[in-house]
Amino acid sequence: MKVLMITCGVGIGHASRDLALAEYLKEYDYEVEFASYGSGLHYYEKNNLNPHQLPSMNFEGTDGAIDIDESLKQSKDIPFTFIKSMYKDATLIRQIKPDLVIADSDYSTPIASKFLNIPCIIITNDLTFGFSELTDNSAIQYFEKSVSKIISTISKGCQSILIPDIPETVEIPKELENKSTYIGPLLHKDIQKEEPVEITRQRHGFTTHEKIIVVTIGGSEFGKLLITIVIEMSSQINADKIIIFTGLEIDPEDFNIDPEDKKVIIKQFSYNLTEWMKLSNLTIALAGHTTSMELLTIKKPNILIPLENHIEQNRNIKRMMDYNITKTTSIKNKEELLHLINESLEHIDDIKINQEMYDEFIQYEGCARALEIIENINNNK
């Protein structure tokens, strides 16, 4: 069976979870091709997947924040970009001739698929948006309401909506309830069966007793401020090593790090970031959904930083706080961030996950459930 996976390219969280699903499908003789733009495209390219390039559609913002008003101003280009995307989607579908199209948070794809009579599945962890909650601007509120109606109408035309999370974590509009299924997080491997942390540390040249922090901003170009702040206060952080991943949109050479400084290690990319998070004592990250799911799965104490005006990241943090392994602060509050880091490191052995909630969370196997739904769609064509 041939699958075309079309992925939202804002950040790498969408592409990361889609690749996890694709790797699983390939074990069952599925052939998968990829298409994206921006960070998603770069992530697929880095993994040597020869992705197809789609027209870009991004948020506007400054370092550390999403600019809702500026994004709205630029929205005049969205209809044109949407039409270009739909045309490109249709061209790819005709060229590749897939048996199924999977669209991750990309809503031009279901329309093109329906026109060409190809089954389509949507993957998303956000069906309600909510960015208008952060403003009194009536134009933004109207814009969100209009977009929500359009997305809902488009989603009704697909075969299924897969939510990569557990029940009751994502608000589902009533009209989409019969299409939507919580499948659990889409992860690259069974993290529970990975090698012990001690062995992983040894393989990377670290000792068991070193206090290690991992900092990641995923694929967001807006997270550069977080890296800058951590580097500036690195001498005050009570850790032996601070390992920073800049993501594919930011060059590590942009940061001024003393070559004699053995404490701060800066990298652009890892094929297995979860492994690095697991070997750390503490992970500091932007609050993307995929990163949150990975941190929760490995039960890693963490500090999650939301981009300003990013409603989904604030929702992710609120949910993660219930598991007792997450702390948070503003991206611009340097003093509190430093305090949280050192306090967490000092009491790291006392940070214990809410085991009852974790046991409920970990029972969901997203890739296996997605495969089951895909095969049901294929058998009922």
Side-chain angles (χ1 to χ4, degrees):
M1 184 176 180
K2 185 183 290 187
V3 174
L4 172 60
M5 196 162 279
I6 295 181
T7 303
C8 171
V10 179
I12 63 172
H14 301 280
S16 178
R17 69 189 182 193
D18 291 350
L19 179 55
L21 176 56
E23 289 170 340
Y24 189 85
L25 293 177
K26 288 176 183 178
E27 293 179 12
Y28 292 86
D29 297 324
Y30 282 72
E31 179 184 347
V32 184
E33 292 201 35
F34 303 86
S36 190
Y37 55 88
S39 299
L41 180 75
H42 298 158
Y43 179 83
Y44 286 146
E45 289 173 337
K46 194 73 173 178
N47 282 277
N48 300 313
L49 295 169
N50 299 315
H52 303 275
Q53 184 169 2
L54 298 174
S56 292
M57 189 178 294
N58 291 298
F59 287 111
E60 299 296 325
T62 57
D63 201 7
I66 299 296
D67 190 327
I68 299 298
D69 291 318
E70 186 61 28
S71 294
L72 179 63
K73 290 176 186 176
Q74 298 301 324
S75 67
K76 62 182 183 298
D77 296 327
I78 289 179
F80 178 62
T81 303
F82 192 85
I83 292 170
K84 282 202 304 183
S85 297
M86 195 163 54
Y87 175 79
K88 182 66 174 179
D89 293 342
T91 302
L92 281 177
I93 292 170
R94 289 192 183 99
Q95 173 188 329
I96 295 169
K97 297 181 173 58
D99 300 291
L100 174 71
V101 175
I102 298 177
D104 190 328
S105 306
D106 184 289
Y107 293 97
S108 61
T109 305
I111 298 176
S113 299
K114 195 167 185 66
F115 278 140
L116 297 172
N117 200 29
I118 302 295
C120 181
I121 287 175
I122 293 173
I123 297 175
T124 183
N125 57 282
D126 190 1
L127 286 162
T128 55
F129 305 102
F131 50 82
S132 67
E133 297 173 19
L134 303 171
T135 178
D136 294 326
N137 188 321
S138 58
I140 291 178
Q141 294 170 348
Y142 177 78
F143 176 74
E144 181 184 315
K145 183 179 290 187
S146 300
V147 170
S148 296
K149 286 183 178 180
I150 292 169
I151 297 306
S152 179
T153 301
I154 291 171
S155 300
K156 287 178 185 177
C158 71
Q159 271 60 40
S160 185
I161 300 169
L162 308 185
I163 301 174
D165 211 320
I166 66 171
E168 310 305 324
T169 54
V170 174
E171 183 181 348
I172 301 174
K174 190 171 184 61
E175 63 269 22
L176 297 178
E177 287 179 352
N178 66 328
K179 292 274 186 179
S180 303
T181 304
Y182 291 97
I183 61 171
L186 297 166
L187 303 172
H188 284 272
K189 58 180 72 177
D190 188 346
I191 295 172
Q192 303 306 305
K193 295 179 181 178
E194 287 190 1
E195 66 185 9
V197 173
E198 296 77 13
I199 301 299
T200 306
R201 282 192 168 207
Q202 184 179 25
R203 182 158 49 80
H204 287 288
F206 304 117
T207 68
T208 302
H209 302 293
E210 286 181 287
K211 283 190 175 180
I212 299 174
I213 292 174
V214 164
V215 180
T216 172
I217 59 169
S220 172
E221 66 270 30
F222 303 125
K224 189 174 182 179
L225 178 62
L226 176 59
I227 295 176
T228 301
I229 290 171
V230 171
I231 291 173
E232 286 176 353
M233 62 188 187
S234 61
S235 63
Q236 300 171 269
I237 294 174
N238 300 327
D240 298 298
K241 292 287 188 294
I242 302 172
I243 306 166
I244 299 172
F245 291 92
T246 67
L248 295 172
E249 305 307 306
I250 298 175
D251 188 344
E253 297 295 326
D254 290 347
F255 301 94
N256 184 23
I257 297 177
D258 184 348
E260 300 299 318
D261 184 357
K262 305 301 180 184
K263 184 176 184 178
V264 177
I265 301 169
I266 191 160
K267 302 172 179 285
Q268 187 173 46
F269 178 76
S270 169
Y271 289 100
N272 189 0
L273 184 58
T274 306
E275 177 179 88
W276 288 91
M277 294 192 296
K278 192 172 183 180
L279 69 75
S280 75
N281 298 92
L282 176 71
T283 292
I284 304 168
L286 296 186
H289 184 265
T290 299
T291 301
S292 300
M293 295 296 93
E294 291 170 343
L295 287 167
L296 182 52
T297 301
I298 62 177
K299 301 192 274 191
K300 181 55 56 182
N302 61 84
I303 298 173
L304 291 181
I305 310 294
L307 292 174
E308 292 184 0
N309 302 324
H310 199 306
I311 188 66
E312 182 198 326
Q313 290 195 357
N314 282 283
R315 288 173 180 167
N316 293 338
I317 290 173
K318 184 178 180 181
R319 176 266 185 89
M320 288 286 287
M321 296 286 281
D322 292 337
Y323 287 86
N324 298 338
I325 59 172
T326 298
K327 296 180 181 180
T328 187
T329 185
S330 164
I331 197 169
K332 295 180 180 177
N333 193 332
K334 299 180 185 180
E335 292 78 13
E336 185 173 7
L337 177 58
L338 178 61
H339 171 72
L340 285 179
I341 293 171
N342 286 333
E343 181 186 53
S344 297
L345 289 173
E346 183 179 354
H347 301 286
I348 202 72
D349 293 334
D350 298 325
I351 301 176
K352 306 294 183 185
I353 199 163
N354 182 324
Q355 194 62 45
E356 183 178 351
M357 291 184 66
Y358 180 79
D359 289 342
E360 180 182 356
F361 168 81
I362 204 64
Q363 67 180 302
Y364 288 85
E365 299 181 10
C367 291
R369 183 68 179 117
L371 174 63
E372 180 182 333
I373 292 170
I374 289 168
E375 295 200 327
N376 283 339
I377 290 172
N378 188 43
N379 292 334
N380 293 325
K381 282 198 298 185

